[in-house]
Every structure is written in C-alpha cells, then in structure tokens.
Amino acid sequence: MFYFGVDYYPEHWPEERWPDDARLMAEAGFNVVRLAEFAWSKVEPREGGYEFSWLDKAIDILGQQGMKIVLGTLTASPPPWLMSAHPDTFRVRADGVRVTFGNRREYCLNNPVYHDYTRRIVTQMAKHYGDHPTVIGWQIDNEFGDRCYCPVCARAFQNWLHRRYGSLDTLNQKWGTVFWSHTYTDWSEIPLPLTTGGSPNPGLALDFFRFSADSYVAYQQMQMDILREKCPKHFITHNFMGFMYDGLNYHALAEPLDFVSWDNYPLMMNADAARMAIAHDTMRGLKRSGFWVMEEQSGPHGWENVGPTPRPGELRLWVYQAISHGAEGIVFFRWRTSRFGTEQYWHGILDHDGIPRRRYQEVKRIGEELKRIRNMIAGSRCRAEVAMLLSYDDRFAFQIQSNNSRFSYSDHFQLYYEALHRLNVPVDIVSPRGDLSDYKLVIAPTLHITSEEIVSNLQRYVEQGGVLVITFRSGVKDEANAVVNLPLPGLLADLSGIEVVEYDSLLADGRNGLEFVIPRLSTMVRKTSCEVWCDIIEPKGAEVVARYTEDYYAGRAAVTQNNYGLGETIYVGTIGDVAFYHALMRWLLEKAGVEPLLATSRAVEVTAKERDGRALLFLLNHASQDEEVELEKRYRDLLTDKAVEGETTIPGKGVLILTQE
Ligand code: GLA
Ligand code: ZN
C-alpha cells in the first residue's frame, strides 16, 4: 500500500467546511490524513473532561471519503491549564532559565507529573481509538528535541550515571575529574553542563547529551507501551527531522518504532538536491527500511517572514525524489494555511481562503499519477553498494568541542555524500555498529569516538575484502570522551597502517596544497588545496596517496592507503576542495568496483529502486530548464508509458521513472 495524504487541522475550521475539505482531498487522490498532534486542549479542555465527539466527527467525514487516519498522541502541546497548575513541568534551558508558556513542547520530558498526564491522555486516546476502523496508526508527540536542564533532570542524570558507571571511582577516573579538582564524592554533587558553568568536562557533557537522548527514548517508550497494549493493530511512528538535526540519538529513537517518519521542507534546504537526498537516506538508514514523509512542504514556509513559493513542478519533483529514496508514504504539511497562530504564514496546499489553486492542481496531478503507478512502486526497495557511517556520539562530541571553529561534522560528512551524489551513486547511511557485509565501499568521516565494538566491526569488514575510508580526527576519543592513550588514530592505527605524528589546525583562511602521487589520481587532478585540518602522517606499512606541498610539512603524507586482510583502508588526513573529492571518489569507486547508475549533468539526479528483481531508475531534473541524458539501454517510462532510449530530454523540474523493456 502506498500512502499519500495530508496533515489536517479540522479544529482550525468550522465544521461546515469539513465535508468540502474531505471531498477535495479525495479528488486529490489522498488516502491518509494525520490529525490532532496539537489538539490536546480541544480533546481535554478541562482536566479529566474529555471531548472526543468533534474528532470522531472529523474522522467519520474523512473516512467516508476513503481516508485512513494517523493520530498524534497530543503530548506535543500541553494545554495552559496543565502548565499553569504545574509550573515545575516547564523545561529549563541550558542557560538555566525556565521557559514560559506560549510556544509548544515546553515540557520537561523527565518530569513525573508530566509523565502522569502523558499516560492519562495517551491511555484515553488509545482506548477511544484502539478499535476504530478508520485509524491505522500513531505519531508519538511531534519532532522530539530540546534538552532539559531542570533539577528533576539533574537527579535523573545522576541516577543514569550511577547505572552507567556503577561507582564514583569509575566515573571520576573515566572523566578525569582530577583535572581542576572536580573529583566527586557523592552522586548528588554532579552538575548539569549549564552554560553558566562555562566549558564543562567533555566526559560529563557527552554523557549528559546521551542521557537526554535516552530520556526521549524512554518517554517515547512510555507512550508506545500504552499504544501497543490498547491498539495492537496500529503502527507507531514518530516524525524525525532529517540529516541536519543532531540533538538526539536517532538510531536509538528509531529502534522500537514500526517505521521512521520525517518532515521534509526542501525550501529550507534551498531545494538543493543533495541536501534533500542526504536527509532521505539518513532517515532510511535509521531502520534500514522504508519511511514516511509525515510533513512534506506544500507551500511557502514562514513564521515572521514568508519563504519563496515552490516553483511549478517542484512539489511533484520532491515527491518522486522522496519515493526514489525510500518513502512509502507522503503526507503534505498542511492542508490549508491557518489564519491565526504562530504559523499563519506556513502555507499549506490551500491558501488562507481555502480556494484550490496552482499548488492543489499539482498535488492532484501527483495523486492521479500515483494511482496509476503505485502497484509498481509499492514494495520497491533501495539498494546501495556504498555506505556512510553516521554516529550521533560523534556529533555530540563535536558539539562540545568542534576542534576547529571552521569544522562542522555535518558539512564534512556532506562533502563525501555530495561527491557520491554527483556521480549518481546510491548511498546507505548507517550506524558504525551495523552489519557492513553488503557494502563494497564504506566511508566513515571523522570516526571520533571509537570502541572495541566499532573497531572490530570495521576490521571484520576490511578483512573480508571491504574498502574503508576514514578521515582525520578518527580514533581520537574513548567512549568517555577522553583522548586515547595511544598514537593516533588510536584503535584504528592497525587498520590504517599509519601514525599521525602531528596535526595542524588551520585558522581563518589558512590553507595548504595537496598533490596526488598515485598515477591514476594525478591524471585526474594534479594539484589541489586543503584547509581546516592537516594530519601529518607517517606511514607504517601504508602507501602514500597524496602529500602536502607547503609549509614545514611539505612532502609529508596527507592521504594513505593500507592493505588489511583482503581489503584496504584509505585514510584522508585533511579537507580538500570539490575537485579533490570528485577525483578521490572516482578512484575509490573504481577500486571498490562500484558503477555509477548513469552519467548526467549536475542538475539531474539518478536514483534506483528494485522490485521483484527488476530495477526502477528515477531521473529527477532539479533545474528549471530542460536537460538531456544519454540512455544506454531501452526503457519504458512508467509515468507516460512510452518507450525511451538514446538521447532523451527531461523537462525542467521533470521526472522519468524507467524500467527496462
Ligand atoms: C515542523 C512541525 C510542524 C510545523 C512545521 C512548520 O515540522 O512538526 O508542526 O510547525 O515544522 O513550522
Ligand atoms: Zn527537566
């Protein structure tokens, strides 16, 4: 089943309008609607007084038009009566200030009183809708995030540490609290890393970020336990925030869910094809399976200011891009633009006046197409031969110490991803702890925090013939965020056959030059430049791939390759320019035996899915003008049902979905 629909807030509009909305949704080809994630005060206007009749009615009207319903669990927006009766439940920010009422998700996720209210409202919802024939699933809360620094969280953190370390001696030793006389003699002395405390001990800060992430997993689980018991037929998901969001451990949060959903706002990513693609791939990688887009941009975004409007064809292009990267449900945000509230400029499919215009017509066209092709795309799966390893521990560690003010984990990660994306090579983005045996090439940018578990996973992979890429600042930290007592790259030294004997952190516009010494690479780029960070490498069995050309370390190794078992490890000790990554990637792909899907101009993204052994090729033109592609084989385009081969034109913002004839 392929789900296609919209986020709807019937509570914002008079009841008389609901049947028209439902009819227009059906005419757009929708079969699913998400409701109620912010409707707590409408369902429980007074403590203990529940009013479901309005929601029942909305669900009935939508159900009559063939919609299935996904319900929010309401906890994302607590009503004023709750928060003013229990001011302790307000979250405290990192600067120690308690937030006040007026937004949403103002609560402390560890507060026992808020937990009681959560259990009560979720139980009421679950009891009321557990057997409803139209309801198919639940979205827990909404876009989890934000750490809380309140006294309740402080105590919970201390208990969490007690469970993790067992004894204060162990904690003191792992964190190195001897530094600046921080040795703790009682669990209650351990502070939160409030910004008023200045730069915290990195061990404490990392553990607090992990604790916050775990707290969200636990809060989600509390809701899931109720739903699993009372609604065994329904699925449970949560709406994540793509690649850029790095406040939680998304691998852990995704684990218990039936599938991941996420909120895709292309115009907040400048409609950049690779940035949207990396977000989709990250979301697919969390559970290594299909996902939903629970909020897909459908109009200009905006709170105080109004964003640009999606160009004709873009909504359709973004939907097919999402599908090609693994989306099995697309739900637009939102049906109709609200006349009031903080988001009165966050546009939906319909404008404030409720009149269907250009964007509605485009959505309707997608709906018609999906009806025709959904049997072909349902059950299709993405398959990649290249994996990138994403670590939330590393993201947390770099939030605490970025090492160089110009270094960003996500930017650096994207350089590798973009090089692959530009060559039209599909990528899985997975945890460093996951099974890697399916991949021919694995790229682990700045694998900063290592453990025996992660390192032996990588060793196994390379021993058996895999090609592994690691980069500077890998193997630097142990799991307590202390620097390893080993030559760098620490536990990864054996795999990479090198020693990092010195490093140079380049400030402002500091640069060095790079020169490839491997013939295959030096024919592609002879000289290029590097910035931000330079590891000065002494090969210990590895071969030099590129060396620096300037400063006192001119001639020293910057990039190396090392044979290990049946495979090899490539170590990249610096950040190069676009030409560097382009050449490096082509060389790596050749080495690993990975073939790009198709060579195209930059504007055209090519992705692939597989269904019953048959390949589906998606050609997505992100430019406004026509683009030409050269097809090597004869295909049939699913959308037009026409045969295509040889030189083929894709119209601006156009899409081809090809199967081989
Ligand atoms: C997020 C939220 C939505 C809405 C949009 C637009 O994705 O989940 O409720 O607020 O952003 O701001
Ligand atoms: Zn708290």
Side-chain angles (χ1 to χ4, degrees):
M1 185 64 172
F2 189 87
Y3 284 101
F4 185 58
V6 73
D7 302 313
Y8 182 42
Y9 301 90
E11 66 273 28
H12 295 178
W13 306 102
E15 273 185 38
E16 306 77 66
R17 169 74 191 202
W18 298 354
D20 290 337
D21 284 336
R23 181 181 46 80
L24 285 167
M25 289 177 195
E27 285 169 15
F30 290 165
N31 57 10
V32 71
V33 175
R34 182 192 68 180
L35 295 176
E37 80 281 14
F38 299 122
W40 191 341
S41 66
K42 193 78 180 142
V43 170
E44 193 183 3
R46 291 163 315 285
E47 179 158 3
Y50 300 100
E51 287 185 9
F52 290 109
S53 56
W54 69 273
L55 189 52
D56 293 347
K57 187 165 177 192
I59 293 174
D60 282 349
I61 290 171
L62 293 163
Q64 279 158 22
Q65 291 286 357
M67 308 298 142
K68 295 292 179 196
I69 302 296
V70 179
L71 287 171
T73 57
L74 305 184
T75 53
S77 203
W81 58 255
L82 192 169
M83 296 311 279
S84 57
H86 304 281
D88 287 358
T89 58
F90 279 106
R91 184 163 49 80
V92 171
R93 304 188 315 206
D95 60 1
V97 174
R98 223 177 248 285
V99 304
T100 52
F101 196 82
N103 203 284
R104 55 178 169 179
R105 301 208 50 263
E106 300 102 334
Y107 62 84
C108 160
L109 76 165
N110 282 309
N111 186 291
V113 174
Y114 200 74
H115 285 185
D116 282 349
Y117 280 101
T118 295
R119 274 191 290 265
R120 244 179 279 164
I121 192 68
V122 176
T123 304
Q124 289 295 327
M125 285 287 279
K127 271 169 48 187
H128 196 84
Y129 292 109
D131 290 321
H132 199 292
T134 311
V135 176
I136 54 171
W138 298 84
Q139 173 191 298
I140 307 276
D141 205 282
N142 190 77
E143 292 190 341
F144 278 138
D146 298 322
R147 299 171 179 130
C148 178
Y149 294 75
C150 80
V152 170
C153 286
R155 259 192 321 281
F157 178 46
Q158 290 153 357
N159 293 337
W160 183 94
L161 290 168
H162 200 153
R163 287 196 299 277
R164 184 177 174 89
Y165 291 104
S167 77
L168 273 176
D169 280 352
T170 310
L171 175 142
N172 281 319
Q173 185 250 320
K174 296 267 186 201
W175 285 1
T177 51
V178 63
F179 191 80
W180 282 350
S181 192
H182 284 186
T183 306
Y184 300 106
T185 59
D186 193 279
W187 296 98
S188 65
E189 294 161 7
I190 302 174
L192 295 178
L194 285 160
T195 52
T196 46
S199 295
N201 177 306
L204 178 146
L206 176 60
D207 275 336
F208 181 68
F209 288 3
R210 287 173 173 147
F211 155 79
S212 300
D214 279 5
S215 301
Y216 275 106
V217 173
Y219 182 66
Q220 174 177 264
Q221 194 59 48
M222 184 175 87
Q223 300 202 17
M224 287 187 69
D225 288 346
I226 297 167
L227 295 171
R228 290 278 186 230
E229 193 207 312
K230 302 215 158 23
C231 317
K233 286 183 266 175
H234 295 164
F235 65 71
I236 306 178
T237 187
H238 171 72
N239 53 338
F240 291 64
M241 293 184 274
F243 170 73
M244 286 309 290
Y245 181 75
D246 59 3
L248 298 180
N249 180 341
Y250 268 180
H251 289 120
L253 195 66
E255 221 256 332
L257 297 169
D258 293 312
F259 58 86
V260 163
S261 301
W262 84 281
D263 298 343
N264 182 27
Y265 291 98
L267 288 174
M268 298 182 76
M269 299 180 261
N270 293 325
D272 181 279
R275 286 181 66 192
M276 298 185 275
I278 196 175
H280 288 305
D281 289 347
T282 304
M283 297 296 99
R284 189 184 67 249
L286 296 178
K287 289 187 77 74
R288 293 197 180 196
S289 74
F291 59 88
W292 281 31
V293 178
M294 196 57 98
E295 298 181 9
E296 172 83 11
Q297 182 159 12
S298 65
H301 57 270
W303 281 21
E304 289 77 21
N305 296 307
V306 181
T309 191
R311 269 41 199 169
E314 280 190 329
L315 300 182
R316 177 171 174 269
L317 174 70
W318 299 334
V319 165
Y320 287 118
Q321 186 195 29
I323 291 172
S324 81
H325 283 273
E328 292 171 355
I330 302 277
V331 183
F332 286 105
F333 187 87
R334 60 183 74 201
W335 174 244
R336 178 171 170 184
T337 316
S338 177
R339 290 181 41 242
F340 34 67
T342 305
E343 294 192 344
Q344 59 185 198
Y345 292 133
W346 205 287
H347 292 70
I349 297 170
L350 307 188
D351 296 312
H352 297 97
D353 60 11
I355 297 174
R357 296 194 175 89
R358 175 179 71 85
R359 300 195 301 281
Y360 176 81
Q361 296 308 332
E362 186 167 325
V363 166
K364 193 169 164 189
R365 173 180 173 197
I366 309 168
E368 280 156 10
E369 286 177 347
L370 286 176
K371 260 187 206 143
R372 281 207 317 274
I373 66 165
R374 72 177 163 218
N375 290 337
M376 294 296 300
I377 54 174
S380 61
R381 298 187 59 83
C382 298
R383 225 179 59 78
E385 294 176 322
V386 180
M388 291 190 67
L389 306 187
L390 180 71
S391 157
Y392 287 94
D393 256 2
D394 289 350
R395 300 183 91 163
F396 296 165
F398 286 117
Q399 281 163 31
I400 297 158
Q401 297 163 298
S402 71
N403 282 244
N404 176 306
S405 59
R406 289 195 295 160
F407 174 73
S408 137
Y409 178 89
S410 53
D411 287 355
H412 180 239
F413 196 96
Q414 284 181 94
L415 286 172
Y416 284 87
Y417 182 88
E418 276 161 14
L420 288 159
H421 187 259
R422 200 169 152 185
L423 291 164
N424 295 322
V425 175
V427 189
D428 279 351
I429 297 176
V430 299
S431 150
R433 293 183 168 80
D435 177 15
L436 304 175
S437 55
D438 284 349
Y439 303 109
K440 292 183 174 169
L441 174 63
V442 168
I443 302 174
T446 55
L447 194 64
H448 199 52
I449 294 189
T450 46
S451 61
E452 298 286 353
E453 184 200 354
I454 290 176
V455 173
S456 45
N457 194 31
L458 298 179
Q459 277 168 343
R460 223 171 11 252
Y461 168 71
V462 182
E463 257 160 19
Q464 290 162 8
V467 178
L468 171 71
V469 180
I470 53 179
T471 76
F472 63 96
R473 303 318 278 152
S474 290
V476 174
K477 294 288 188 86
D478 67 15
E479 285 181 290
N481 211 8
V483 176
V484 294
N485 191 11
L486 292 166
L488 297 183
L491 294 173
L492 298 164
D494 247 16
L495 255 178
S496 41
I498 59 161
E499 186 176 318
V500 176
V501 287
E502 270 194 80
Y503 41 73
D504 191 16
S505 176
L506 303 180
L507 301 182
D509 51 1
R511 283 182 174 278
N512 203 312
L514 270 186
E515 179 176 55
F516 283 116
V517 293
I518 300 248
R520 177 73 189 109
L521 273 164
S522 50
T523 54
M524 290 194 262
V525 213
R526 259 194 54 71
K527 279 201 171 142
T528 144
S529 74
C530 59
E531 57 182 359
V532 182
W533 194 274
C534 296
D535 274 344
I536 303 167
I537 299 171
E538 205 160 285
K540 302 271 177 183
E543 194 186 329
V544 181
V545 173
R547 58 187 173 217
Y548 299 108
T549 61
E550 287 162 34
D551 217 320
Y552 78 95
Y553 47 95
R556 304 294 296 271
V559 182
T560 56
Q561 63 175 330
N562 185 48
N563 295 328
Y564 186 93
L566 301 173
E568 49 186 301
T569 305
I570 288 79
Y571 186 94
V572 184
T574 186
I575 297 187
D577 58 12
V578 173
F580 169 81
Y581 289 106
H582 192 61
L584 184 77
M585 202 51 79
R586 283 164 60 199
W587 176 69
L588 289 168
L589 294 171
E590 285 168 17
K591 193 186 263 304
V594 177
E595 288 276 346
L597 293 170
L598 191 71
T600 59
S601 71
R602 221 181 152 173
V604 178
E605 175 185 8
V606 186
T607 52
K609 294 189 93 178
E610 231 176 57
R611 187 170 174 277
D612 306 330
R614 259 171 92 101
L616 286 179
L617 210 56
F618 291 72
L619 275 59
L620 307 151
N621 180 5
H622 292 271
S624 314
Q625 73 282 356
D626 294 0
E627 292 282 331
E628 303 295 323
V629 289
E630 183 66 38
L631 300 173
E632 288 150 12
K633 297 175 190 145
R634 195 178 151 81
Y635 295 95
R636 191 168 58 84
D637 180 10
L638 285 190
L639 293 166
T640 57
D641 207 28
K642 290 200 178 110
V644 282
E645 74 179 314
E647 178 129 331
T648 306
T649 305
I650 317 175
K653 307 286 178 194
V655 178
L656 305 182
I657 307 178
L658 307 179
T659 51
Q660 233 172 298
E661 283 211 314

